Amino acid sequence: MKGINFTIIFIIAVFVIGGIAIYAYEHFRYSPYALQVDLGVVIEWLRDRHVDLVDAKLIYELTNTKLTIDKRQTPYEFALSVYPLLSIFKDNTTRLEIPLRSTDKVLPLRFKYVDGKVVVSMSECEIPVGSTILSINGYPIEDILEKYKNLYPTCENFQQVYSFVDKLLPHYPKIIDASTLQIKYQLPNSSAQRTSYIKTISFKDFQKDMHLTPVELYNLGQYTIVKINTFNISKKEDMKIVENVFQKLSNKNGSIIFDLRYASDGDATIPSAIISRLIDETTYLYPKLITRYRYRQVEKKQIPIEPDSARISKDVYFIVDSSCFYTPHKILLSFVATNKIGKVLTTENETSTLFSDLSFYTDEFWKILPNTRAYIVMPLSKVIVENNLEEDQIQIVNLTFNESLLFDKTAYKDWLKEFISRIK
């Protein structure tokens, strides 16, 4: 009996001590002291690895940017607090990234930022695709964007907002720790407004139910349009779809148009596949790649791209606008400018910000922070693009883009027909 009592007491003691230890750890990891430790880690890793931290002025600015954390903060709050420190870089890359577990709760929705509006581009709930989001939990969507755009501290204002809507707005329940959100929205093609209470789903279900098909093919007479929905290849099936599309392109007559607008971020897989079919000899993906060796910048060797046997020998066009600022977009635009292959079509009259500087940063490096478990993300390399797009490579097409074209395939095809008629 005494043995049994001792065993029970021992088991209870283990659970109690374990619970206290977990509570103490969770209390510590978000404490001001722990957050200051993470801040110190961020600064040290930036000093050691960021490609631009060879510039004395930038090093001085980083070293002398003082931040004081005097209260407990969540990882997202901590990321916003670090904004003044990271915003000294202008690389469109450096940020704090908070990873999601498969069980974390997210919205069954995807969004795009179009003409200053947050539009639903995919939906697995009662909010219809094409709706415009007006508020969440009573907060105007403009206020939410103004606050959380700083999670992308090294981008310009439009790019900050666009990136947050595109990448993180579905994760808003995780950011504010909620399981149900009140969302007020305006119905598509209507002035009617509705309010719905949307229950969250797990991130694992989101990845399955809200999966984006990488590319779509549209045949319009002598023109074949490849609409790129995302540069992210997350499944083997995605790669098969991409390979099948490019195989079809090699057998097509006429011109090829790649629509890059509103394509979600990803890696260099699709740009590399496109480039390999445009070249007839071995070439490099980047015009010039700079990396850091200790405290100086040096040119980095690249693995060359081999030409694909299924070469596209027709006229090639790329449709772009201000949404085309992700690294895969930059890879394609810099290649077109450097090799004078293809023509760029844009629906925007103001092209100076889009084409003035095609240089960009790449080779993201991720390092986990000890307490918040967030990642500091920074570029290890910079692509130098010395050639600009020539005037005869850029054609402005004055044709309005409507948000319905993101999800209405019939409307999109009609728009493409009108677009093609204007570029002929």
Side-chain angles (χ1 to χ4, degrees):
M1 197 68 167
K2 290 182 178 180
I4 294 174
N5 290 340
F6 175 79
T7 302
I8 294 173
I9 292 171
F10 178 77
I11 293 173
I12 293 173
V14 168
F15 276 99
V16 170
I17 294 172
I20 293 173
I22 292 172
Y23 173 80
Y25 171 70
E26 290 296 324
H27 183 78
F28 167 80
R29 65 187 294 206
Y30 300 128
S31 67
Y33 175 78
L35 297 178
Q36 285 291 154
V37 170
D38 278 13
L39 179 60
V41 173
V42 166
I43 294 172
E44 287 304 313
W45 278 103
L46 286 170
R47 283 175 178 166
D48 289 344
R49 304 301 294 269
H50 195 289
V51 64
D52 281 344
L53 257 295
V54 296
D55 179 77
K57 182 180 178 181
L58 199 59
I59 294 173
Y60 176 84
E61 196 171 351
L62 175 69
T63 305
N64 287 273
T65 301
K66 304 299 181 184
L67 298 178
T68 302
I69 300 174
D70 55 6
K71 63 179 181 179
R72 295 174 59 80
Q73 295 179 349
T74 67
Y76 287 101
E77 291 170 339
F78 176 64
L80 292 174
S81 296
V82 179
Y83 171 82
L85 181 77
L86 301 185
S87 62
I88 66 174
F89 301 96
K90 303 299 178 186
D91 53 38
N92 283 36
T93 302
T94 302
R95 65 193 185 276
L96 290 189
E97 190 83 19
I98 292 86
L100 264 72
R101 298 168 297 182
S102 61
T103 56
D104 284 336
K105 298 301 181 181
V106 298
L107 288 169
L109 297 162
R110 282 190 185 274
F111 308 93
K112 286 293 182 182
Y113 189 63
V114 186
D115 291 335
K117 298 183 290 185
V118 177
V119 179
V120 177
S121 59
M122 290 184 70
S123 175
E124 288 293 332
C125 64
E126 64 190 78
I127 300 179
V129 169
S131 299
T132 300
I133 303 301
L134 303 176
S135 67
I136 301 179
N137 282 4
Y139 293 96
I141 191 65
E142 295 81 9
D143 293 351
I144 294 172
L145 300 183
E146 184 62 29
K147 178 178 180 180
Y148 289 103
K149 70 179 184 181
N150 291 341
L151 291 172
Y152 293 92
T154 63
C155 298
E156 298 175 0
N157 183 68
F158 168 80
Q159 296 171 354
Q160 286 181 311
V161 176
Y162 185 93
S163 296
F164 174 73
V165 172
D166 190 34
K167 298 179 178 182
L168 287 184
L169 190 54
H171 306 166
Y172 191 64
K174 170 67 175 178
I175 295 175
I176 64 173
D177 193 20
S179 58
T180 302
L181 295 185
Q182 180 200 66
I183 300 180
K184 184 178 179 181
Y185 56 95
Q186 183 175 318
L187 292 171
N189 302 316
S190 171
S191 59
Q193 298 181 3
R194 298 285 187 272
T195 300
S196 295
Y197 291 85
I198 304 301
K199 291 185 178 180
T200 56
I201 60 175
S202 69
F203 183 53
K204 182 179 180 181
D205 289 337
F206 176 86
Q207 290 176 306
K208 180 179 67 176
D209 299 338
M210 309 294 289
H211 177 258
L212 286 169
T213 303
V215 295
E216 296 175 1
L217 206 60
Y218 294 85
N219 295 309
L220 295 175
Q222 291 299 306
Y223 288 84
T224 302
I225 293 84
V226 183
K227 182 174 181 286
I228 300 179
N229 297 318
T230 178
F231 289 105
N232 182 36
I233 305 294
S234 58
K235 300 179 179 180
K236 289 182 179 179
E237 292 78 7
D238 290 343
M239 199 62 228
K240 289 180 180 178
I241 292 172
V242 173
E243 290 173 351
N244 289 337
V245 166
F246 282 110
Q247 187 61 43
K248 291 178 181 177
L249 290 182
S250 63
N251 300 322
K252 295 286 185 182
N253 294 318
S255 302
I256 309 294
I257 300 176
F258 293 95
D259 191 350
L260 309 183
R261 298 165 306 159
Y262 297 94
S264 296
D265 202 1
D267 55 35
T269 302
I270 292 178
S272 298
I274 294 173
I275 290 170
S276 68
R277 287 162 173 82
L278 298 180
I279 57 177
D280 51 17
E281 60 183 17
T282 301
T283 188
Y284 294 115
L285 184 62
Y286 308 120
K288 186 177 182 181
L289 187 62
I290 300 297
T291 191
R292 176 178 164 183
Y293 177 71
R294 295 182 179 175
Y295 289 99
R296 60 190 178 94
Q297 290 182 336
V298 297
E299 188 167 355
K300 184 179 181 180
K301 290 185 178 179
Q302 302 181 54
I303 299 174
I305 298 179
E306 299 293 335
D308 195 286
S309 57
R311 189 173 183 274
I312 301 172
S313 57
K314 297 85 178 174
D315 292 333
V316 178
Y317 300 87
F318 297 89
I319 309 179
V320 301
D321 63 10
S322 56
S323 70
C324 300
F325 61 86
Y326 291 140
T327 297
H329 296 115
K330 291 282 192 177
I331 291 173
L332 288 169
L333 288 175
S334 65
F335 179 83
V336 171
T338 302
N339 296 277
K340 309 305 176 188
I341 295 177
K343 193 168 187 176
V344 174
L345 309 172
T346 179
T347 55
E348 297 186 359
N349 290 317
E350 183 55 53
T351 60
S352 58
T353 57
L354 189 61
F355 304 131
S356 59
D357 184 10
L358 296 177
S359 297
F360 61 97
Y361 294 79
T362 187
D363 293 342
E364 288 188 359
F365 172 78
W366 295 50
K367 179 65 179 178
I368 195 167
L369 304 181
N371 298 305
T372 56
R373 311 306 291 173
Y375 287 87
I376 173 65
V377 184
M378 70 194 78
L380 299 185
S381 303
K382 182 177 182 179
V383 178
I384 305 298
V385 185
E386 296 174 344
N387 297 66
N388 289 323
L389 289 163
E390 295 180 354
E391 288 187 10
D392 61 353
Q393 283 187 285
I394 302 172
Q395 182 175 344
I396 298 174
V397 182
N398 292 314
L399 188 61
T400 304
F401 182 87
N402 187 284
E403 63 267 16
S404 64
L405 303 176
L406 290 171
F407 44 82
D408 188 332
K409 291 188 178 182
T410 301
Y412 179 65
K413 287 186 73 172
D414 291 340
W415 185 90
L416 285 174
K417 291 175 183 177
E418 177 65 22
F419 186 85
I420 289 170
S421 70
R422 298 196 183 192
I423 68 173
K424 284 183 178 180

